């Protein structure tokens, strides 16, 4: 069994095994004709059930053969130009290379004595990111597993900085389009049920700062504590960016922590043409970025950044076995002092390889391409009488709904759109997402693949219309 351990004597076996895996994936990518096969859980479950985990195959080739059946054949492929579903990106090769290196070396970023240079690389990337944001000389941060954890940590710091023992008095303000992890964090942080004040959005799905101002005033008048304002820079559904300068001014006026959730919009930090959309982000107390969304990085790669690095102490605990107090005086850089996690992946290496190979401009160019594509897609939708499109995109999402020519009840239109989404998924020809707008069923394209063309968008819109029409036709017959 020792032959399976990665070490000096097994280097050749490692090379062969990993190369074989890379070969399989490479052939798969080259041969993929659609983003999905349309397999159902009921079809796939027996295939996986049939595997006896207590009877190993003993050999990597055999396991890879089996993997074809249990995973690779039916996986959802984000690199395919007709994958238009969630906020998943195709990944850049330098980052995948970084992934291969980091898992083989297997550094753990909690302490210097488990990572050495990895710690400094992560710190340099944090500094690079805070520099791009403009958070100033005292800024710091740490890589996390994703935007959910970044938001949780940011709000933990905000809670501690609010300096009140009565958690029931704390309020968080975020737009009605903010990510659900804000609400989840509030619950995890022990805040009351009413802790999150949902601020309405304008016609472009951006937080109404006038209403925010009124809510803050009410909060103050009621003797409550405005703990944090969460501005979303790229809402998950619409890619809309809240008015950051206005929110920053209000945060200052009311002494609230300003958190910018740029999980999606962070790609703008690398854009040479759209960086201005994030103007005001430099006034934040904390920022969430998901490199695994708009920096084309493999999952997971995210960070939370703070204006004042000293606030990260609220996440600091010392353990005699790991990061004893003396290590602070000895200036040993232990990233665990800043993190909610202990053992932690060296995800930073993927971004490092990306910046060293392509540079930030290369990443920004890719993100600009999908934002341009979203504009083209919007023009297509706006000109198409079969569709109602919600807002002009600031980033790269389009929310729309098929509307039949003949008068039909809104509920029937909801069902037709939902049916179209499901039928498309089952066909495997394309993957789109869905969401609700004012209680009605809409469909969504999240465009993060620069290989997707306007022709792809047009073709998928035809497919959706076909499925929706078929549904409505059948239902008329049955009615
Ligand atoms: C995706 C997203 C999150 C959550 O990030 P994960 O990496 O999925 O945990 C938070 N906020 C926004 C705006 C997002 O789009």
């Amino acid at each position: 069994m020792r032959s399976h351990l990665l070490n000096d004597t097994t280097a050749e076996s490692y090379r062969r095994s990993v190369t074989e895996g890379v070969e399989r994936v490479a052939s798969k990518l080259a041969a993929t004709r659609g983003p999905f096969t349309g397999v159902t859980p009921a079809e796939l479950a027996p295939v996986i059930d049939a595997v006896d985990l207590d009877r190993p195959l003993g050999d990597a080739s055999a396991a890879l053969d089996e993997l074809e059946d249990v995973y690779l054949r039916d996986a959802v492929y984000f690199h395919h130009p007709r994958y238009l579903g969630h906020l998943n990106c195709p990944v850049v090769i330098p980052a995948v290379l970084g992934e291969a290196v980091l898992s083989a070396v297997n550094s753990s970023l909690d302490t210097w004595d488990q990572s050495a240079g990895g710690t400094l690389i992560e710190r340099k990337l944090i500094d690079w990111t805070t520099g791009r944001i403009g958070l100033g000389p005292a800024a710091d941060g740490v890589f996390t597993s994703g935007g959910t954890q970044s938001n949780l940590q940011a709000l933990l710091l905000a809670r501690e900085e609010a300096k009140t023992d009565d958690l029931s008095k704390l309020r968080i303000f975020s737009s009605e389009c903010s990510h659900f992890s804000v609400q989840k964090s509030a619950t995890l942080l022990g805040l009351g049920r009413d802790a999150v004040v949902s601020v309405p959005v304008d016609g472009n799905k951006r937080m109404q700062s006038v209403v925010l101002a009124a809510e803050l005033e009410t909060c103050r008048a009621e003797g409550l504590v405005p703990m944090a304002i969460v501005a979303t820079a790229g809402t998950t559904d619409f890619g809309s960016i809240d008015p950051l300068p206005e929110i920053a001014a209000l945060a200052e006026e009311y002494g609230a922590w300003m958190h910018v959730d740029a999980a999606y919009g962070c790609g703008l930090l690398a854009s040479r043409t759209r960086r201005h959309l994030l103007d005001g982000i430099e006034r934040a107390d904390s920022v969430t970025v998901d490199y695994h969304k708009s920096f084309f990085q493999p999952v997971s790669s995210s960070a939370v950044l703070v204006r004042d690095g000293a606030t990260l102490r609220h996440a600091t605990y010392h353990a005699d076995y790991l990061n004893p107090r003396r290590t602070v005086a000895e200036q040993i850089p232990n990233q665990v002092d800043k993190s909610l996690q202990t053992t932690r992946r060296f995800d930073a290496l993927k971004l490092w390889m990306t910046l060293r190979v392509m540079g930030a401009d290369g990443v920004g160019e890719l993100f600009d391409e999908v934002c341009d594509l979203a504009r083209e897609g919007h023009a297509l939708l706006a000109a198409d009488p079969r569709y109602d499109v919600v807002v002009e995109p600031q980033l790269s999402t389009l929310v729309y709904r098929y509307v039949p020519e003949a008068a039909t009840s809104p509920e029937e239109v909801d069902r037709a759109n939902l049916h179209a989404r499901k039928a498309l998924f089952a066909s495997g020809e394309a993957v789109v997402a869905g969401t609700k707008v004012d209680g009605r069923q809409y469909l969504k394209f999240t465009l993060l693949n620069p290989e997707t063309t306007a022709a792809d968008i047009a073709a998928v819109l035809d497919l959706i219309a076909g499925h929706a029409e078929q549904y409505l036709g059948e239902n008329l017959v049955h009615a």
Side-chain angles (χ1 to χ4, degrees), residues 18-92:
V18 174
T19 304
E20 193 182 349
V22 170
E23 286 295 345
R24 302 267 183 136
V25 176
S27 328
K28 194 84 221 165
L29 294 175
T32 303
R33 294 287 164 260
F36 186 43
T37 58
V39 73
T40 64
E43 285 163 348
L44 204 47
V47 180
I48 295 182
D49 273 352
V51 173
D52 184 350
L53 292 176
D54 293 317
R55 296 184 64 187
L57 299 165
D59 158 75
S61 296
L64 282 169
D65 287 342
E66 182 183 83
L67 198 66
E68 173 66 19
D69 294 333
V70 299
Y71 177 53
L72 291 175
R73 188 185 55 224
D74 296 301
V76 178
Y77 285 101
F78 303 152
H79 75 280
H80 194 278
R82 293 198 182 174
Y83 177 82
L84 310 168
H86 302 284
L87 269 165
N88 310 109
C89 53
V91 292
V92 291

Side-chain angles (χ1 to χ4, degrees), residues 87 145-149 151 177-181 232-237 261-264 288 290 292-293 302:
L87 269 165
S145 61
T148 302
Q149 189 189 156
N151 284 346
C177 292
S178 64
H179 194 262
F180 70 92
S181 54
T232 311
T235 57
T236 313
D237 268 350
D261 180 357
Y264 176 14
T288 286
D290 261 0
H292 63 217
K293 282 177 180 163
S302 176

Side-chain angles (χ1 to χ4, degrees), residues 77-349:
Y77 285 101
F78 303 152
H79 75 280
H80 194 278
R82 293 198 182 174
Y83 177 82
L84 310 168
H86 302 284
L87 269 165
N88 310 109
C89 53
V91 292
V92 291
I93 297 169
V96 177
L97 171 60
E99 184 79 66
V101 173
L102 75 92
S103 64
V105 180
N106 198 31
S107 297
S108 180
L109 272 276
D110 39 342
T111 53
W112 169 259
D113 69 0
Q114 300 174 74
S115 69
T119 291
L120 301 181
I121 286 176
E122 170 166 310
R123 288 188 163 200
K124 195 170 168 81
L125 287 164
I126 289 292
D127 290 347
W128 179 85
T129 308
T130 59
R132 287 254 162 182
I133 298 171
L135 286 181
D140 198 358
V142 71
F143 272 67
T144 69
S145 61
T148 302
Q149 189 189 156
S150 295
N151 284 346
L152 172 62
Q153 181 162 356
L155 291 171
L156 166 71
L157 305 186
R159 185 191 73 182
E160 296 303 296
E161 288 293 307
K163 299 185 177 76
T164 170
D165 291 331
D166 188 353
L167 297 188
S168 71
K169 285 199 163 160
L170 297 177
R171 292 292 177 273
I172 300 170
F173 301 82
S174 70
S175 99
E176 56 182 313
C177 292
S178 64
H179 194 262
F180 70 92
S181 54
V182 173
Q183 182 65 59
K184 200 188 254 189
S185 299
T187 306
L188 288 168
L189 292 169
L191 309 189
R193 264 180 191 285
D194 308 322
V196 180
V197 178
S198 183
V199 182
V201 294
D202 64 17
N204 290 316
K205 305 295 177 187
R206 305 167 78 224
M207 187 195 281
Q208 293 190 38
S209 50
V210 177
V211 181
L212 173 64
E215 290 284 5
L216 285 163
E217 198 47 50
T218 307
C219 177
R220 182 188 267 172
E222 290 175 351
L224 302 171
V225 180
M227 172 188 124
I229 306 172
V230 177
T232 311
T235 57
T236 313
D237 268 350
F238 305 98
S240 46
I241 299 170
D242 287 338
L244 303 178
E246 284 95 320
I247 292 171
L250 286 167
E252 211 164 290
E253 187 182 339
Y254 286 87
W257 178 282
M258 178 184 179
H259 176 63
V260 177
D261 180 357
Y264 176 14
C266 61
L268 297 173
L269 295 171
S271 166
R272 273 182 300 188
T273 59
R274 289 180 167 83
R275 170 62 181 81
H276 61 93
L277 291 174
L278 289 179
D279 283 353
I281 194 173
E282 70 284 352
R283 296 167 70 182
D285 292 296
S286 58
V287 177
T288 286
V289 298
D290 261 0
Y291 306 106
H292 63 217
K293 282 177 180 163
S294 48
F295 271 72
F296 305 92
Q297 300 293 295
V299 177
S300 60
S301 184
S302 176
V304 60
L305 298 317
V306 295
R307 153 175 312 288
D308 177 6
T311 59
L312 290 170
R313 73 182 179 282
H314 300 306
T316 309
Y317 290 81
H318 292 286
D320 292 337
Y321 81 92
L322 189 67
N323 59 336
R325 278 177 202 286
R326 66 164 170 78
T327 57
V328 177
E330 291 169 5
Q331 298 195 329
I332 297 169
N334 288 332
Q335 292 293 82
V336 70
D337 295 351
K338 308 173 184 180
S339 175
L340 299 185
Q341 291 168 267
T342 307
T343 305
R344 190 162 53 84
R345 291 165 54 81
F346 183 22
D347 286 316
L349 184 62

